[in-house]
Amino acid sequence: MATQVQTRRDSADWRLNKRFYVKFIEGLADTQIGPLYIGVWGVLAIAFFGMTVFLILFGYLASVGYNPIRFVREFFVLSIEPPAPSYGLKMAPLAQGGYWQIATFFLTLSIVFWLIRIWSRAIANNIRPTVPIIFTAAIFLYAAIYIIHPISMGTWNEAPGHGLRAQLVWANAFSIKYGNFYYNPFHMLSIFGLLGSCLLLAMHGATILATIPLNSHREIDEAEHSTAGTHKAQLIWRWVMGFNATATSIHTWAAAIVVLAMVAGALGVILTGKIEPDWFHWACRAGIVPGVIQAGAGNVPACLP
């Protein structure tokens, strides 16, 4: 492959020879898997994540009376839920939210250990810790949803359950409870960052694919000697967008807009509840919602005085 950095030849270091190849993806990506450095922090992250998965699955089984048939049949709607509001921030019995509390604690540790792992790998290899820094933005959003907002409201019941359906139910209920989350300006910024990052990545990918005949995909060769592939890719951006995009700028924009999505989303969740209990009323005060809406035979006020 043109982008392959590690060659197939054996190394004097036995650790670098721990690799295998996946033939069925040949042509789509580099088929080499490994070597992978795990390290102490990686082992801790994997161990705590494994315990998280075990607790969630055990909670699923308990909710269906340990019936394997129901477990498989209802898997996509099963969940372990946080404790009821009456428990506040106290530890609840296992069957009444305790599984969720322990699983969330282990999941948080797993994420933190994984962050330390990628940070230590960056420092050990003498490169900028950009990946862990941007990963911190995602952790901030996770912490806002699962830790900061529930603590500010005084109950773990404000957090989502662990389950596929539970995530969707929480998102819908959270929006309804706090007056239509779509009016939250930080949610607007977060969605802009989400869609904008997708657009930038799509444009980036399409530009490289369009200039493959000019060898723009040969990353190692292009890094050493910039050729027609890179030049034409940058020209396409200038012709279409009106400004140049370099190998540095396109990735800087993509990283920045992803961080915007995560940080804005986290701020929107943190501000919800204690600071702003109803985003629809906030939109009325801010003049975002029109004064009247059409309903039946005439107009009715959209915002109550």
Side-chain angles (χ1 to χ4, degrees):
M1 294 292 289
T3 57
Q4 185 171 352
V5 176
Q6 264 183 340
T7 60
R8 293 172 179 260
R9 67 176 180 271
D10 290 335
S11 170
D13 190 336
W14 63 272
R15 294 172 299 179
L16 299 181
N17 296 325
K18 297 291 184 178
R19 61 183 185 270
F20 60 94
Y21 302 93
V22 182
K23 295 296 184 181
F24 73 89
I25 65 172
E26 194 166 0
L28 297 176
D30 191 339
T31 63
Q32 179 176 318
I33 306 297
L36 175 66
Y37 180 87
I38 301 297
V40 174
W41 297 114
V43 170
L44 288 172
I46 293 171
F48 278 100
F49 183 75
M51 288 187 283
T52 301
V53 173
F54 172 78
L55 281 170
I56 292 174
L57 294 180
F58 189 81
Y60 287 2
L61 274 171
S63 68
V64 295
Y66 304 99
N67 186 321
I69 297 177
R70 288 186 59 195
F71 175 81
V72 174
R73 185 180 62 197
E74 302 174 18
F75 180 82
F76 294 103
V77 298
L78 293 176
S79 65
I80 57 172
E81 300 294 338
S86 58
Y87 286 102
L89 298 175
K90 295 183 297 184
M91 186 65 193
L94 290 179
Q96 300 177 36
Y99 283 122
W100 180 92
Q101 289 175 307
I102 299 173
T104 303
F105 176 69
F106 285 163
L107 178 60
T108 303
L109 288 179
S110 174
I111 293 172
V112 171
F113 288 145
W114 194 259
L115 173 66
I116 298 174
R117 172 184 177 268
I118 57 179
W119 188 288
S120 62
R121 282 298 83 208
I123 299 302
N125 286 280
N126 197 28
I127 62 176
R128 293 178 179 178
T130 309
V131 172
I133 288 173
I134 295 177
F135 185 43
T136 303
I139 296 176
F140 182 38
L141 178 58
Y142 165 83
I145 295 173
Y146 280 90
I147 301 173
I148 300 175
H149 174 75
I151 290 177
S152 71
M153 300 302 293
T155 172
W156 294 118
N157 190 258
E158 289 283 326
H162 292 305
L164 299 175
R165 181 173 176 270
Q167 300 288 322
L168 300 177
V169 170
W170 174 85
N172 184 56
F174 192 80
S175 178
I176 294 172
K177 181 176 181 179
Y178 295 107
N180 197 334
F181 206 63
Y182 293 122
Y183 288 110
N184 185 331
F186 291 96
H187 181 265
M188 299 176 191
L189 282 174
S190 181
I191 295 302
F192 168 77
L194 175 64
L195 300 181
S197 61
C198 291
L199 177 62
L200 277 175
L201 290 173
M203 293 169 64
H204 176 37
T207 301
I208 299 302
L209 291 175
T211 52
I212 280 179
L214 299 173
N215 294 325
S216 62
H217 65 299
R218 302 185 66 87
E219 296 176 357
I220 298 176
D221 296 340
E222 288 292 307
E224 294 175 349
H225 304 287
S226 180
T227 60
T230 295
H231 299 160
K232 190 69 72 174
Q234 294 175 4
L235 283 174
I236 286 177
W237 273 73
R238 189 171 69 192
W239 293 337
V240 175
M241 303 299 296
F243 56 90
N244 270 345
T246 65
T248 300
S249 66
I250 181 62
H251 295 97
T252 302
W253 299 337
I257 202 167
V258 167
V259 170
L260 170 66
M262 299 296 104
V263 172
L267 292 175
V269 173
I270 293 172
L271 294 174
T272 300
K274 288 293 185 181
I275 298 177
E276 181 50 64
D278 193 311
W279 287 108
F280 179 77
H281 289 166
W282 175 89
C284 288
R285 296 193 303 270
I288 296 176
V289 177
V292 295
I293 57 175
Q294 291 185 350
N299 296 331
V300 296
C303 300
L304 297 177

